[in-house]
Amino acid sequence: MIVMKFGGTSTQDAPAIANVVEIIKAHLHQKPIVVVSAIAQATNMLEKIGKFAADKNDREARETLTQLFSRHFTIIDQLIRHITRNRNLRSVLDAMREEIETIIKGVTILRELTPRTLDTLYSYGELLSSRIVSVALQDHGIQSEWIDTKDFMFTDENFNRATPYLDIIEEKLKSNLLHLVNNGVVPVTQGFIGITLSGRRTTMGRESSDYSAAIIGAALDVDDIQIWTDVDGVLTADPAVVPDAKKVKTLSFKEAYELSYFGAKVLHPNTMLPAIEKSIPIHIYNSRRPQSTGTLVTAALPSTSGVLKSIAYKRNITLISISPQKRIGQYIFWEHIQNVFTKHGITILASVTAEYGYSIAAEEKQTTQALLQDLNDVGIVSINEKKCIISVLGSSITQNPGVLNRIFGSISDFNINMISFGASQFSINIVLEDGDALEAVREIHSELFGEVFTDDIFEVLDQQKKK
Ligand code: ADP
Ligand code: ASP
Ligand code: MG
């Protein structure tokens, strides 16, 4: 049994979904369970619809809704040839559209888009795409059943970033899904969305469909979790920034976790957690080039001590520095600061301390007024906005003599605000000006990976060789 997750770009239009059907067909012997994201941009459009409605901009909300549905109807008409199937699917979509219209009315009246309502709105993206993919499989002669996550993906009530209840999910999946798969049926379900015990839709954070796939994979102890996306695997940098990035053939779970934590969008960081528990390999494949071998993320790797594998970056970072008002005990000062960060749920990307100073790098969107107010009670706070954090990832990084020289030599023209090195064996983190982010990633990449050729770890991609 395997899980195959297809992201938004893999299902963005009718040809893309037809391609997904072919890919699934080629894996039928492995008993796939299919997890899909919303079609490209659908989640953003649903969010816009909600915001327009909350702003009483009913016309824009409806126009965006019309665009969203016309994209889905176009896909259906180009893809589903069987007349009854086509008609039935259209009426399923009509019903969903009516439900969304009712939500828009409610939000417009209340002029408020709560996290709970936003999750209900978000859920339609994956509900729509998964319905279409399931019927597309049937239309191509493959037995498929559409499975609603409301029957198994139970979570807490933390809307917009819900935590799944893994034990309940495992029990439900085993009783609801196993017999289908064993009878040759391909279940198609949704990534990203879950359900509370009282039946309210939740989501597990933007981009979390990869995580959903891993949860399902671990619950059913599958042989492989496959993430099908629009790139050849994990590369030495984001190919949108560094066009000649090389493919990394294998990564450990820990390397992949840190890489995604520090901004590589190709995998949601949580994806690795359920996979580690059950030691299930994760493959990242390109749905546009299904013949390519992808990247394998696994526990069983030969030691690659000291090898640098990739560069990640995050933009819109804020540096927060705090020093005490008066000289209280150092440990008491730190405890106060940590309490504030814990209270506000701040994800600290990097931190440095001096005798009486503490600086952290956090995402700008987490740096709220409420946080700053609480920090002001603890000490003197200074804020530096518009930074980025660049992370160089690998294993046993401190065992790589000269690596710091090479990295800092390549970005000697840039203003460095903070460095974090040594706390983790897997990453070196550097905070720079936000405007320098892309150029600095390219410079570091050219220094570290410019000369890397195909070997046991890296692969120069075919499309680059032709250049
Ligand atoms: P999906 O919709 O399939 O989930 P995403 O857009 O979430 O796809 O993730 C794929 C994207 O991740 C790629 O298009 C690429 O631009 C980006 N990316 C960032 N860092 C990396 C990296 N190190 N390797 C590969 N892709 C990366
Ligand atoms: N559709 C969701 C999003 O855009 C989840 C995902 O794509 O992974 O965030
Ligand atoms: Mg993604």
Side-chain angles (χ1 to χ4, degrees), residues 23 25 35 44 51 74 89 137 149 176 251 253-254 267 277 334 382 392-393 436 442 461 464:
I23 294 172
K25 219 179 203 173
V35 177
N44 290 339
K51 288 185 174 158
T74 306
L89 189 52
L137 286 169
T149 37
N176 295 351
L251 287 164
F253 284 125
K254 190 75 183 117
L267 274 181
E277 284 285 307
W334 285 351
S382 90
V392 179
L393 289 306
D436 293 336
R442 288 186 199 112
L461 296 167
Q464 291 161 5

Side-chain angles (χ1 to χ4, degrees), residues 33 94 99-100 153 161 186 193 195 201 208 223 444:
I33 297 159
D94 282 334
E99 286 167 18
I100 300 179
M153 193 59 89
R161 45 177 181 168
V186 178
I193 63 178
I195 193 95
R201 297 278 188 196
S208 64
D223 303 311
I444 299 174

Side-chain angles (χ1 to χ4, degrees), residues 38 86 299 428:
N86 182 307
I428 300 165

Side-chain angles (χ1 to χ4, degrees), residues 156-216:
D156 65 11
E157 305 226 340
N158 200 355
F159 295 97
N160 300 173
R161 45 177 181 168
T163 302
Y165 292 137
L166 299 178
D167 291 347
I168 309 181
I169 294 169
E170 180 168 335
E171 184 203 312
K172 296 283 177 194
L173 278 174
K174 282 185 174 154
S175 57
N176 295 351
L177 224 72
L178 272 187
H179 64 283
L180 286 180
V181 182
N182 288 329
N183 283 322
V185 177
V186 178
V188 177
T189 192
Q190 308 85 50
F192 180 47
I193 63 178
I195 193 95
T196 66
L197 295 173
S198 59
R200 306 246 177 223
R201 297 278 188 196
T202 54
T203 60
M204 297 187 283
R206 292 299 305 268
E207 316 274 346
S208 64
S209 290
D210 305 330
Y211 181 35
S212 307
I215 293 170
I216 296 169

Side-chain angles (χ1 to χ4, degrees), residues 256-310:
Y257 180 82
E258 294 238 353
L259 183 65
S260 50
Y261 180 87
F262 286 112
K265 201 179 162 222
V266 62
L267 274 181
H268 188 280
N270 288 357
T271 315
M272 269 54 73
L273 305 177
I276 292 172
E277 284 285 307
K278 298 265 174 93
S279 253
I280 302 173
I282 302 172
H283 275 98
I284 298 107
Y285 290 122
N286 190 345
S287 59
R288 293 167 183 169
R289 300 197 328 120
Q291 72 286 0
S292 77
T293 49
T295 291
L296 167 65
V297 180
T298 174
L301 270 192
S303 165
T304 53
S305 188
V307 177
L308 304 174
K309 291 196 173 170
S310 191

